[in-house]
Amino acid sequence: MIASLGYLMIASFLISVIRKHISVFAGLIGVSVVFGGAAALWTTGSIDPIFGWFRDGLFYTVNDAGKVTLGTINPTIMILFAIMYFSIMMNVGLFDPLCTFLIRRAKGDPLKILMVTVFVTSVVTLDGDGTTTILIITSTFVPLFRRMNMKLSNLAMLIILPTGLGNCLPWGGPLVRAAAVLKVEVNELFIQILPILAVSLVYIFFLAYFMGQKERKRLGYDPKAADQIDREQIEEMVNVILDNDKELKRPRLFLFNLALTVATLVAVLMGWVGGALAFTIATAIALAVNYTAAEQRERITANGGDAIAVTSIIIAAGLFLGVLSGSGMSTAIAETLTHLIPESLGSHVGIIFALVGAIACYALPIDAYYFGILPVIAPIGAKYGLTPHEVGMASFMGQAIRYGSPTVAWLFLLMDRTEMSFADYQKEFFKYSIPMFVIFIVVAIVTGVLPV
């Protein structure tokens, strides 16, 4: 009976989210209350246990051996202040000098322009907001691409591929969702995926170089000739970046903001301090140094919207996961599904999860996958000896092709700005993203974070 309730709970959540009957936040809490209450009544005859399950999912649990397992509050705090921090760094213009320098250096060379596109996109997408990235990068580069008769399809690919990698950062969303479900530290997963992201970024730069060589040949560009674009056009591109939230820029505090950012990232990556604490402190320092008290309140309000949209879902997921675990639903589901996997495939379950995850990442909304599917497959992985970190890595592989999915609404903004139909976009995207998916898998296997 408990397994049946678990299946119904997950199915109800998936259907409500996919059909958009209800928001993800309300859906997670609604099914948790309904099915958690039913499970509590079935097992104890009272609804009292449900509140303990909610508390455990949100805060922490302690097993018989005294081991403490954190709930979703810890990753919620981390993603809240990581988004806030990088939004503030965008406001103050931390990355402006490097971006504008590279744009000026690219001049009229198609190859250099494409390489700079990748770099600037990789920087702008650090705040984890795909819509903002698309608006800034297309506003900067579309006029130049049109002026030089360069292919806008190349621009679309060199925007979306780095943005996909940026989405894999701890504050991007998928990683913190996986960490919340698997009850592991976000920075532990992030350290494991860093080699994957690094190799994938090299791959994207290689694509840009390859595209640039083809554009040079198609346009008849001679690298030895004089600059083929006037200085005014270059300054127009630079001004798109410099004039964005100009009143919020703090160029005189550039060195301080750079040092603060480097120190925060090093502290998190080296494991000296948890990501939640590091970004909370860094956000407070950044606000206090860069803005007045009134401006600080305005920045918190302005930048808090995106953060609250994500963190509210992670908090709601705490209730959902607490019910799945505390009621015994996840264990019961795992036991029933384990029998469906042939014994001969048990040693390859990590790769199987990666392939299933890739399909689910493409076909489902991101919350439906991480909160509807991952809680089911995680216990199955444990049955076959996979650690929570290895299950997390398997679930992460599908992010390589995630941005081909029609469930990502802002992709249609990119298609509109680069004048592509959905069919043309899909054709181009999968041509480059499937090799990146292979890179994800290979690097994960080589580094030992995904068992085979």
Side-chain angles (χ1 to χ4, degrees):
M1 179 63 180
I2 289 297
S4 298
L5 282 174
Y7 284 123
L8 287 172
M9 178 176 172
I10 292 168
S12 298
F13 170 66
L14 289 175
I15 292 171
S16 64
V17 170
I18 292 170
R19 294 189 175 180
K20 299 181 180 179
H21 293 321
I22 196 170
S23 69
V24 174
F25 173 77
L28 284 167
I29 293 179
V31 298
S32 299
V33 171
V34 172
F35 290 95
L41 288 170
W42 176 263
T43 55
T44 68
S46 167
I47 65 168
D48 290 345
I50 193 175
F51 301 107
W53 299 339
F54 287 165
R55 183 188 63 248
D56 293 345
L58 283 172
F59 300 106
Y60 65 89
T61 56
V62 182
N63 64 16
D64 295 336
K67 181 182 178 182
V68 177
T69 302
L70 296 177
T72 60
I73 286 297
N74 188 58
T76 296
I77 294 172
M78 196 223 70
I79 196 170
L80 170 65
F81 287 102
I83 291 174
M84 291 282 287
Y85 181 79
F86 280 100
S87 296
I88 292 166
M89 289 301 104
M90 290 294 177
N91 294 155
V92 301
L94 175 63
F95 308 106
D96 289 1
L98 188 55
C99 292
T100 55
F101 170 77
L102 291 173
I103 289 172
R104 289 188 174 107
R105 290 290 297 173
K107 299 179 180 178
D109 186 342
L111 188 150
K112 290 181 180 178
I113 290 170
L114 290 170
M115 299 286 279
V116 168
T117 300
V118 175
F119 183 88
V120 176
T121 302
S122 301
V123 170
V124 174
T125 197
L126 283 175
D127 70 347
D129 184 0
T131 303
T132 301
T133 300
I134 289 171
L135 288 172
I136 292 176
I137 301 302
T138 54
S139 297
T140 303
F141 286 96
V142 165
L144 177 62
F145 271 61
R146 286 176 175 157
R147 162 76 171 75
M148 296 189 62
N149 197 29
M150 293 173 63
K151 291 183 179 179
L152 289 176
S153 60
N154 287 341
L155 175 62
M157 294 304 103
L158 296 181
I159 291 175
I160 201 59
L161 293 175
T163 302
L165 297 186
N167 189 52
C168 298
L169 297 172
W171 48 91
L175 207 62
V176 76
R177 286 170 169 84
V181 171
L182 300 169
K183 298 182 179 180
V184 299
E185 285 284 349
V186 182
N187 59 316
E188 292 175 1
L189 291 179
F190 182 48
I191 290 171
Q192 288 187 325
I193 69 169
L194 273 176
I196 300 172
L197 298 182
V199 175
S200 299
L201 187 59
V202 171
Y203 162 73
I204 296 171
F205 273 108
F206 172 79
L207 285 181
Y209 181 85
F210 175 74
M211 292 175 179
Q213 291 285 18
K214 291 183 67 175
E215 285 290 77
R216 275 180 172 180
K217 184 176 180 180
R218 185 179 69 87
L219 298 172
Y221 177 86
D222 181 3
K224 297 179 181 179
D227 298 341
Q228 298 183 23
I229 183 171
D230 57 66
R231 185 174 297 275
E232 289 184 4
Q233 182 73 31
I234 294 174
E235 291 307 313
E236 286 178 9
M237 295 176 61
V238 167
N239 289 334
V240 170
I241 293 177
L242 296 180
D243 292 341
N244 183 52
D245 294 329
K246 190 173 183 178
E247 69 282 0
L248 301 175
K249 307 288 187 183
R250 297 294 185 268
R252 288 182 294 181
L253 293 170
F254 170 78
L255 291 178
F256 171 83
N257 289 318
L258 177 62
L260 178 61
T261 301
V262 171
T264 302
L265 291 177
V266 169
V268 171
L269 295 178
M270 296 298 292
W272 297 338
V273 64
L277 185 58
F279 281 111
T280 300
I281 294 172
T283 299
I285 294 173
L287 283 169
V289 172
N290 287 282
Y291 298 111
T292 66
E295 290 171 335
Q296 290 170 36
R297 290 192 294 272
E298 191 274 334
R299 285 297 87 212
I300 291 171
T301 302
N303 294 326
D306 290 336
I308 293 299
V310 177
T311 53
S312 62
I313 292 173
I314 306 301
I315 290 173
L319 278 64
F320 185 85
L321 299 171
V323 168
L324 275 178
S325 178
S327 67
M329 289 181 188
S330 60
T331 301
I333 290 172
E335 288 176 352
T336 60
L337 292 179
T338 299
H339 298 300
L340 300 178
I341 300 177
E343 194 68 31
S344 59
L345 294 178
S347 60
H348 306 297
V349 73
I351 295 296
I352 294 172
F353 284 175
L355 295 175
V356 170
I359 296 171
C361 277
Y362 174 78
L364 298 174
I366 194 69
D367 294 302
Y369 171 56
Y370 279 102
F371 298 135
I373 305 298
L374 188 56
V376 174
I377 66 175
I380 299 174
K383 293 280 185 181
Y384 286 98
L386 265 64
T387 67
H389 293 83
E390 289 170 341
V391 174
M393 288 300 101
S395 74
F396 168 76
M397 298 295 103
Q399 293 303 314
I401 63 171
R402 167 66 185 158
Y403 284 165
S405 173
T407 64
V408 182
W410 50 258
L411 286 184
F412 295 94
L413 172 64
L414 176 64
M415 293 174 216
D416 178 69
R417 305 276 286 202
T418 55
E419 302 173 359
M420 297 184 74
S421 67
F422 185 66
D424 290 338
Y425 174 83
Q426 294 264 295
K427 180 180 177 181
E428 287 293 304
F429 177 77
F430 285 115
K431 182 167 66 176
Y432 301 118
S433 64
I434 289 178
M436 192 160 78
F437 175 67
V438 174
I439 289 173
F440 272 40
I441 295 286
V442 170
V443 177
I445 292 173
V446 169
T447 56
V449 299
L450 183 67
V452 292

